[in-house]
Each structure stands twice: as structure tokens, then as C-alpha cells.
Amino acid sequence: MIHSARQARPTSTLRRTASATPSFNTDATEFSKQFAFQHLLNSPLPSPALPSILPRHGKKPTPRLFRQAFRISLRLATWLLAATALYCLIRAIRSPSESSASVTYLSLNVDQYNIAGQDSALQDPAPILVADPNKKPRWTVSIPRDASFPLKPSQYANICAQSDHIVKQLSPAHTHFHAGSGESQAATNFIDVQEAHDQGLLVSPSMDEARLDHSVLDEDWAGVRGEKEAGTHDKSMGHKVCKKSLTFLMESADAGMGKTLLGLWMAYGLAQDEDRAFFIDDSNWAYGKYTSFFKPPPVPSCTLPPATQRLPCPHQTRHLVVSTSTYQWVFGDLIEPRSQDHQSHKAAIRKHRAFSLARVGHDALFHLAKSDADYLSSRLAELDSTAQAGGGLTIGLHLRRGDRHPWEPQYSDSYIPAATYLSTAQSLLLHHFNPENTTLTHSAAAGVAASTFLLASDDPEIYTSPDFSSAQPYANVQRAQSHILLASKDTLDAALPEPAPAPTADPAFIKFVEPHTGWEGGFFASIFWGLGNAAEGMRFARGERPERATAPPNDETLRLREYVGRAYLLELKVAGAASGGVVCGVSSFGCRVLGVMRGWSDVAEENGTWRNVDKGYSGWAGLVEEE
């Protein structure tokens, strides 16, 4: 039996007494009103303990748990909104300058760009769009503080390529960055990293990070990154940061040294022209240490800023980084495609400008390390004394073979014949000894016969070619230098007989022994990358070599590469110093380096002593882009 806890109330409390009952001695209308009211009083009230079994308005009743969850969520949202408003108010009071530098979205006609907020920290180096305190759209470059310096050359090139698109959108009239133009219209919307930090547009590095960066630079930089030269670094300069700087990266995807060398000289000249402190980074150079080849560069009187402030573009950034991958953005219209008109007056002005920059760098930096400098001095003295004793001249001949082909169409798949070099060299001799083009006198003929052709080539077989043994009666032919020689396979086989195959347990199997590889045919990138590591050369030949090796080259590889580089530089030094002139093909960067060594007058004048035999381009080419 179930007992209810609820008891029904007495009915007497719900009804009125008889004396309260109205009389019926009234008219019908009054009766009906009284009856209706009395009927309501006499009706029992609904039970307060039992809910209605019928849904109100045809809807199901809302569950109690849902109503409670809704009320809690509403309260939480209210609290969160109040906390957010309070936080923004406090931040605005504490940092009014930062709050005014809020970022607005810029609608650009490009796929996607990074829109940076004041607390943003991009994971990859890239140009970003910001809005300054005046709500003006600006752009800068963000490099993560934990990114290693230097970045890969392709990363620098990507930054500049993306920056080009941003600049074109913000300033449609602009088409390219221009070297040496200072505050050009090309990047008027650019804001430097330090200035962006000061305005709160980028997150500033902490004092500990900046102090660590400067201490590393003070210890390891003596004009060249990673080189500690005793007595070359002035500790008294403390942590004074350069107002403006230019850092040149020796790292290059090219196996050859000529393009890097020419760009290095132009970058140095540009730094001097713009009053920038000059630094060299050789940390990822394929040839090893800079000071293995050259004397250390002049030491700046200041130190570099953190790596986040060193940018590849635009040109007017305070701290510029120059790589072979960013030449076109740094030097601008000083570099032009080979297909353009390079004989116009404007082209001649640009060419002279580029040459002047390179010449400044040549004079300051092209000084060989002591071991090679001593040999060079003795070799030049020997050649001068021999030529002067007979009244003759020396003519440098630079023949590039290997993977560098001429621009002249008929020889684009082969090489310019040796006879072309010889005939041009002979014309130089005749122009000197017989300028009037008359019959040779006895003394002039003696001078021609006493002259010497100094042969410099990347192909060791050139030196034994019959073409040069027939140079008489005009001159005799010698190697430009014999201090370091590139050997052919025949020379290696004669000097170092191949080892016999190692015996194996099964006589039917013979262990493979790799044969000698020489430089016959000239300098090929696959051979260079395979020095001391044949597998690396094979990866390059298959197009699988990474942009930057995960592990540094081994000691044997660096030793062999160093020999190749030193031989190349010695040959250029000797051939470029020839008293009578130099003959070469301008498609080779070595030929353009020789032009800088000779001087502008020898390059520009029709009868100058720098002669180009490659008819695919007229005159000195500088850093003309390949096609």
C-alpha cells in the first residue's frame, strides 16, 4: 500500500457559507452575473502537486538540464566578454603606441600574403604586410629569431620574389628594385625591421637574445664569418652596431668560382659607395675558408645586428645580405639579359658603372694568401726579366672548356678553335711592334720572336695540343703557372698506377676498383662535386644533389677543392698581369674577371689590350644573366 505524503485540503475552505449565497430575487441579467462568479468560487482549484499532462501550445517541455546548461553558458560568456574588455582597456592604457598600430587587411591582387599582427611570429622567413600608426600600408621582412644564419640561397631569392609582388601591388608604377638608387620609389612603402620593432609592428628580440648575438659576432667575426685572425679584431669597439652594413655570402650553387668572385667585388664596391660596413660569410662556401685563398678583408669598426635585421632586399634596407641568388635584386639594371641591346649608350653607362664597382672590390680584396702570393711574385719577375731581355711582350691566353660553351652560335655546342685565340694574340703583338702595319723591321721581328704566350686553361690536354706547338714564329707558349696543376687521367695513371683488385674468397668475383678521374676536357661541375666523394658527383649528375648538404664536406674533399680554386686564381693572376694584353672568351666568368684586372680603358677601347674572341657578345659582360 502506497501512502501519499500529500493530504487533500478540507472542502469547507474552498466554499462559502450559506449566508453568503446570493438571493435569487433579482432579474435575469443580475442573476447570470452572480451565478457565473459564484460558480468560479465554488470550483476546486487545480492541484499544485501535479503538472499538466498536456504540452503547452503543442510543444514538448524543455528539459531541466538543458535550461541549466544554457544559463551557465550565458554566464560564462558574459564573464569572458567582460574580462576581454578589461584586458583590452588595460593594454591600451599601458601601451597606447602599440594599440594604435593595429593591422588592417589589405586587399591585394595576389594569392596570399602574410598579414602580421603586433604579436605575430612567422615560422618561415617571408615579407609581411603591416599598417603603421597612421594606418598607412607598409611592408617589411620577418625572419624567425631561431632561424640559422645564413638562410639558404633559395630562401633569400624567394623573399625577394615575393617582395616584388607586394611592391607592385602597393605601388603599381614600380616594376623592379634598382641598385644604387637609395630611397627610390621602388620601396617607399618599406619599413626596416628595427623601425618596425620600435613602432611595435614586430616583436622585438629580448635583451638576452641581442646580447648573445653580439657576443658571438665579436668572437668569431674578423671581417669573415668563422675566421679568427689574431690581431685583426679590435675588442675595444665593444658592442657598437653598424648603422649600415652589407654581408656577402660566398655560398653558391655554381661549382665555379668566377661568378662568386665577380659578385664579391661588385658588392664591396657597392658597400663603399653607400657607406656600409662590409662583411664576408664563408660558412657554407664549397671551397672552404676564404683565407685559404685570400688575405683577410679590411676589418669593420662595428659589429653586425641580430640576424633578423639582415635582409636580402629591398636595396635600401639598413643591413643588406648579398648572395649569388639575389644579384638581380641587389644590382638591379646593372645586370641585363644577354638578348638585350648591350651596345646602346645607356647600356654602356650601366656597364661602366658595374665595372667601376668591381674594380673597387678587386683593388681591395684580390690579394692572394701568402703561400701563393710568394710564388706569384717570383713567377711574374721571371716572366718580366725574360721578356725584357729579348725586348718582347707577354700575352695571356685564357681558354675555358668543360661545361662552359661559347655564346657564338656556331660554337655553342663546342668550343672556339685554338687558332682563333692565337691569331688574336698575334694581332696584339703586331699592333704593338708594327702599329703602322708596314713591313716588320729587324728589331720588331726580334721583339715578336722574344714574346711569350701564357696559356691558362681548365683542360690539361690543351697544353700538349699541336695547335699551340705551331705558334712560332710569332711567340713561344708556356703555362701561366706550374705551382698547382690539374692532371689528366693519363698523367694520373702514369704517376699513380691503379691498385690491383683485392683478392676475394671466390675467384669468380672481382672487387671493383674505381679508376682515376682526371680533368681532361675541362672543368665540369659533376667532377668538382664528386671530388673526394664520387657519390655526391653522381647525385649532381642525376639532378638529385640538395641545395645545401646536410653534413659539411670531409677534409679530403675540401683539400682537393682548395687545390682547384688556388690553381684557377693563380692562372688568372699571371694571365691578367701579362704586359701585352689578354685574349679570352667573354662567356666565361674568368674572362670577365681578367677584364676587371686589366682596367676599363683596356676593355672599352677598340684597340684595348683585353680582347674577346666570343662573337656572341660584344665587350665586357659583367654579371649578364645566362639564357
Side-chain angles (χ1 to χ4, degrees):
M1 182 175 180
I2 300 176
H3 294 274
S4 174
R6 300 176 182 269
Q7 298 293 331
R9 297 187 179 186
T11 57
S12 60
T13 60
L14 300 176
R15 301 179 182 274
R16 297 185 179 274
T17 61
S19 61
T21 303
S23 175
F24 289 97
N25 296 327
T26 58
D27 56 19
T29 304
E30 183 66 21
F31 173 78
S32 62
K33 291 181 180 179
Q34 292 181 359
F35 179 80
F37 180 72
Q38 186 66 28
H39 176 73
L40 292 176
L41 291 176
N42 294 334
S43 298
L45 295 176
S47 173
L50 297 177
S52 175
I53 62 174
L54 295 176
R56 298 177 181 176
H57 307 291
K59 298 181 181 179
K60 293 182 179 180
T62 305
R64 180 179 300 176
L65 291 178
F66 178 81
R67 292 197 301 271
Q68 291 178 350
F70 176 76
R71 285 194 295 268
I72 293 173
S73 300
L74 184 61
R75 291 170 184 166
L76 289 176
T78 304
W79 294 341
L80 182 60
L81 183 62
T84 303
L86 180 61
Y87 170 79
C88 293
L89 178 61
I90 295 174
R91 186 176 180 88
I93 295 174
R94 295 180 60 184
S95 303
S97 61
E98 291 187 9
S99 63
S100 64
S102 59
V103 178
T104 57
Y105 179 79
L106 302 178
S107 178
L108 298 179
N109 232 350
V110 289
D111 296 336
Q112 182 180 3
Y113 289 111
N114 297 298
I115 309 299
Q118 53 200 14
D119 293 327
S120 65
L122 301 180
Q123 299 298 319
D124 298 315
I128 59 175
L129 293 170
V130 297
D132 64 13
N134 297 322
K135 306 303 181 183
K136 179 183 178 181
R138 307 290 291 273
W139 71 278
T140 187
V141 177
S142 173
I143 297 178
R145 295 194 296 273
D146 58 351
S148 60
F149 183 87
L151 303 176
K152 294 179 180 179
S154 63
Q155 289 179 294
Y156 286 123
N158 288 336
I159 290 174
C160 292
Q162 295 172 18
S163 300
D164 262 346
H165 290 291
I166 292 180
V167 170
K168 289 178 181 178
Q169 293 298 323
L170 297 182
S171 180
H174 172 248
T175 57
H176 215 289
F177 297 125
H178 297 283
S181 58
E183 293 290 336
S184 64
Q185 187 181 358
T188 53
N189 293 312
F190 173 77
I191 181 171
D192 218 320
V193 175
Q194 183 59 54
E195 186 179 352
H197 286 322
D198 295 341
Q199 296 184 17
L201 306 180
L202 291 176
V203 179
S204 299
S206 64
M207 292 300 297
D208 292 338
E209 290 174 330
R211 189 178 300 111
L212 175 62
D213 202 337
H214 292 316
S215 64
V216 171
L217 293 176
D218 278 345
E219 289 296 328
D220 291 342
W221 280 70
V224 182
R225 181 178 175 85
E227 297 291 342
K228 290 186 178 180
E229 300 294 334
T232 61
H233 196 69
D234 184 6
K235 296 292 183 180
S236 64
M237 69 183 180
H239 300 301
K240 179 183 176 183
V241 178
C242 305
K243 293 182 179 179
K244 297 173 63 179
S245 69
L246 189 153
T247 303
F248 185 86
L249 308 181
M250 300 295 291
E251 181 181 11
S252 174
D254 295 327
M257 189 184 288
K259 183 178 181 180
T260 303
L261 192 62
L262 193 59
L264 170 68
W265 294 350
M266 289 182 63
Y268 181 88
L270 189 64
Q272 298 304 302
D273 190 57
E274 298 180 351
D275 196 23
R276 296 177 181 266
F278 184 77
F279 297 86
I280 297 173
D281 184 292
D282 64 355
S283 55
N284 295 297
W285 193 25
Y287 285 87
K289 295 181 179 180
Y290 178 88
T291 51
S292 297
F293 304 90
F294 309 102
K295 292 181 179 179
V299 180
S301 60
C302 57
T303 189
L304 284 166
T308 55
Q309 298 183 28
R310 291 173 246 162
L311 310 180
C313 54
H315 184 87
Q316 82 264 23
T317 183
R318 291 193 185 109
H319 303 285
L320 186 64
V321 175
V322 180
S323 166
T324 54
S325 64
T326 62
Y327 281 173
Q328 59 177 309
W329 288 281
V330 175
F331 300 116
D333 56 8
L334 298 183
I335 305 175
E336 57 186 13
R338 183 161 51 92
S339 58
Q340 290 188 2
D341 182 10
H342 54 274
Q343 293 182 313
S344 65
H345 179 66
K346 291 184 178 179
I349 294 176
R350 291 194 296 266
K351 190 179 296 186
H352 183 237
R353 164 69 173 160
F355 190 97
S356 300
L357 294 177
R359 182 68 189 193
V360 172
H362 164 272
D363 294 344
L365 303 176
F366 200 27
H367 305 291
L368 300 184
K370 184 174 180 6
S371 59
D372 292 336
D374 293 341
Y375 170 80
L376 177 64
S377 298
S378 63
R379 175 59 173 162
L380 293 179
E382 173 191 356
L383 292 171
D384 288 342
S385 61
T386 302
Q388 291 176 4
L393 297 175
T394 55
I395 304 291
L397 302 180
H398 180 263
L399 282 76
R400 177 70 161 91
R401 294 290 190 261
D403 51 14
R404 175 66 64 178
H405 294 280
W407 288 340
E408 191 170 348
Q410 62 176 324
Y411 300 119
S412 59
D413 294 326
S414 58
Y415 306 105
I416 297 174
T420 303
Y421 289 86
L422 287 172
S423 63
T424 305
Q426 291 164 2
S427 67
L428 273 174
L429 287 178
L430 293 176
H431 178 74
H432 177 80
F433 289 105
N434 187 23
E436 301 298 331
N437 197 22
T438 59
T439 303
L440 280 176
T441 63
H442 179 72
S443 60
V448 171
S451 297
T452 302
F453 291 162
L454 304 175
L455 188 57
S457 178
D458 57 334
D459 184 359
E461 295 182 339
I462 284 288
Y463 299 102
T464 58
S465 170
D467 295 323
F468 292 100
S469 62
S470 60
Q472 289 286 1
Y474 291 101
N476 62 81
V477 179
Q478 295 185 21
R479 288 177 177 267
Q481 60 89 24
S482 56
H483 188 52
I484 303 174
L485 304 178
L486 299 182
S488 63
K489 184 179 185 301
D490 293 340
T491 303
L492 292 174
D493 291 341
L496 303 170
E498 294 182 5
T504 59
D506 189 348
F509 293 93
I510 300 177
K511 185 177 180 180
F512 174 76
V513 177
E514 187 174 349
H516 293 136
T517 300
W519 293 96
E520 61 276 358
F523 182 95
F524 290 89
S526 58
I527 297 178
F528 174 82
W529 295 119
L531 290 174
N533 189 346
E536 189 75 8
M538 294 298 295
R539 281 194 290 270
F540 175 84
R542 294 193 300 266
E544 300 173 356
R545 183 179 180 274
E547 179 181 11
R548 180 181 291 173
T550 55
N554 57 53
D555 293 341
E556 178 65 12
T557 296
L558 285 177
R559 186 179 67 87
L560 294 174
R561 291 179 182 178
E562 182 179 316
Y563 281 141
V564 173
R566 290 171 58 194
Y568 173 77
L569 294 173
L570 278 172
E571 290 183 343
L572 291 180
K573 273 286 193 180
V574 174
S579 59
V582 63
V583 179
C584 56
V586 76
S587 58
S588 164
F589 276 101
C591 182
R592 307 177 212 182
V593 169
L594 288 169
V596 177
M597 297 174 64
R598 298 300 299 183
W600 179 250
S601 59
D602 283 351
V603 169
E605 294 179 4
E606 184 178 355
N607 294 321
T609 59
W610 179 85
R611 298 290 178 90
N612 167 36
V613 296
D614 189 343
K615 304 306 180 185
Y617 191 92
S618 176
W620 187 74
L623 289 174
V624 167
E625 296 178 352
E626 297 296 321
E627 295 181 346

